[in-house]
Each structure stands twice: as structure tokens, then as C-alpha cells.
Amino acid sequence: MTDFDAFRRPALAQRTPAPLLAVPGQDVIVPQPGAVRLGQEVVSASQARELAERHEREALLERLGVPTGPDDRMDQFADHIAETTGMLYGFVNIFYAEQTFVGLHNPPPDSGHLILGRTMSLDHGWCPAVVRRKKGLPLWDVHASSTFSGNVVVDMVGIRSYFGVPLIYEGIVLGTACAIDPEARPRSDARRHLDAVKAGGALVLDALTHGAPAR
């Protein structure tokens, strides 16, 4: 190799890596040191945000000592939400690895209506949309919106109306308070039902965070 060849082909150790350029319209995430290990899947920006929010939620729930299963006091709040809305089902729904109904109001066992259990996939129902939106969701008739009409809860339980609000503390959504029913509601009553759930959710949040330890 001539001196000229050496000049034209610098050693690899001397080369400067090209910077990572963002593709227009895409988010670029710079992970924390140690956050990504060899062999892990690459996640999208939205997936990374959801994962970060989940970790923040789990830490806050543990710090607050929020129930991880059925709780008598939360059941009373669920009863109150169902009664004030006139709906068959009421929930205090905390988002752990699954949606966990720490408070639950079912119809009477002899009512002929389905009796619901205490957990549900994070992908089912309308509460995941409330958690993402961080806003209340009044669905007086789920079939009035194509976005919300296709749902496993519609198919399995036959639900037609849903009213839910987020339980937000320190900017983090812990879960939801909500009510559902097999009957659609008049659109003119939507605000009243949502306000009733909001009032119940405020009571729930106060009970969950009252005397919360300082950071």
C-alpha cells in the first residue's frame, strides 16, 4: 500500500460515527443509561411514554397504599356511584397490570344480569381511553360513536352506556371511577350523569390520597 492509499483510506478508529438523524414526523427518544439492553425490542414513542407512565403510576400507588384487591370502603363508593347515576354497575377501577375493580357494584344476583368479576384486561372497556385522555368520557349510547361502539364489553355484557372520569393525583392517573348500564341514556342527561360520576370520583380520590406521605 502506498502513502497515497493510506491517506485516502483512514483507519477505522479515526472515523467519527455519523449522528442519528430523526425521520421527519417521528419522535426520537434518547433512553436513560441502562434503560435499553441488548436483545430488547425497539418501542415507539407512544409505547415508551405509556411504559414510563405505568412505572410512575405503580410507584405512586405503592406510596399511597392504594388497595390491590377488593376493598369494603371502595365498594361503598362504587355503590354510591351506581345509585346516583341510576346505573346497574359502578366501579372504582385502579390500573395495575390489569384493570382492578377495588370498588365494585353489581346488580342483585337474581336480577338476570351478568355479575362481573374484579379484573379486566387493560385493552378492554372504555376506561383505558379515559386514562389516556385524562378527561371524562360520557357515552350516553356507545353506538352513537364508531370509535367506542366496537368493544368486548359491548359484546359480552351488552353495555350501551358508560360514564367515566379519571382519578388524577400529582398529575398521574391512578385509574377511573365509572358507571355502566345495558340501557342507553338520553343525550340530554349526559352532563348530569357525568357530573354524578365526577362527584363520586372526587370522594374516591380524597379517600385514596388523604394523608398521603410526602415525597
Side-chain angles (χ1 to χ4, degrees):
M1 182 173 66
T2 66
D3 293 339
F4 179 73
D5 291 330
F7 175 76
R8 294 187 61 184
R9 287 186 272 179
L12 291 177
Q14 296 175 336
R15 294 180 184 175
T16 302
L20 179 63
L21 299 179
V23 177
Q26 291 186 352
D27 294 329
V28 174
I29 299 175
V30 180
Q32 301 256 343
V36 177
R37 296 181 178 85
L38 188 63
Q40 289 186 325
E41 293 183 3
V42 176
V43 298
S44 67
S46 61
Q47 289 173 323
R49 282 191 292 268
E50 288 179 6
L51 185 60
E53 289 172 2
R54 177 176 172 179
H55 289 164
E56 289 178 345
R57 179 184 305 116
E58 290 173 350
L60 181 56
L61 290 170
E62 182 177 1
R63 177 164 66 87
L64 293 173
V66 172
T68 58
D71 181 87
D72 289 340
R73 191 177 184 193
M74 293 298 116
D75 281 346
Q76 292 175 16
F77 286 124
D79 292 342
H80 174 74
I81 291 170
E83 290 165 3
T84 56
T85 57
M87 295 188 147
L88 282 183
Y89 304 89
F91 304 85
V92 176
N93 182 8
I94 302 300
F95 272 48
Y96 288 106
E98 296 181 295
Q99 298 182 65
T100 303
F101 309 138
V102 298
L104 175 61
H105 175 90
N106 269 309
D110 58 354
S111 66
H113 295 284
L114 189 66
I115 302 302
L116 300 182
R118 292 278 182 170
T119 61
M120 183 182 293
S121 166
L122 292 178
D123 299 325
H124 294 167
W126 300 277
C127 288
V130 173
V131 170
R132 288 191 298 269
R133 290 157 44 103
K134 296 186 178 182
K135 292 172 57 178
L137 181 60
L139 298 176
W140 59 90
D141 183 351
V142 298
H143 295 310
S145 168
S146 59
T147 301
F148 298 110
S149 63
N151 198 298
V152 69
V153 181
V154 176
D155 299 335
M156 294 181 62
V157 191
I159 296 303
R160 287 288 302 276
S161 55
Y162 168 94
F163 295 87
V165 298
L167 302 172
I168 302 176
Y169 185 69
E170 295 182 354
I172 298 172
V173 184
L174 307 180
T176 67
C178 65
I180 60 176
D181 197 88
E183 297 293 331
R185 293 297 193 270
R187 182 172 183 174
S188 58
D189 289 340
R191 173 52 59 185
R192 178 171 61 86
H193 289 313
L194 188 63
D195 286 345
V197 177
K198 280 184 179 179
L203 296 174
V204 169
L205 191 61
D206 182 69
L208 292 176
T209 60
H210 182 69
R215 284 186 179 274

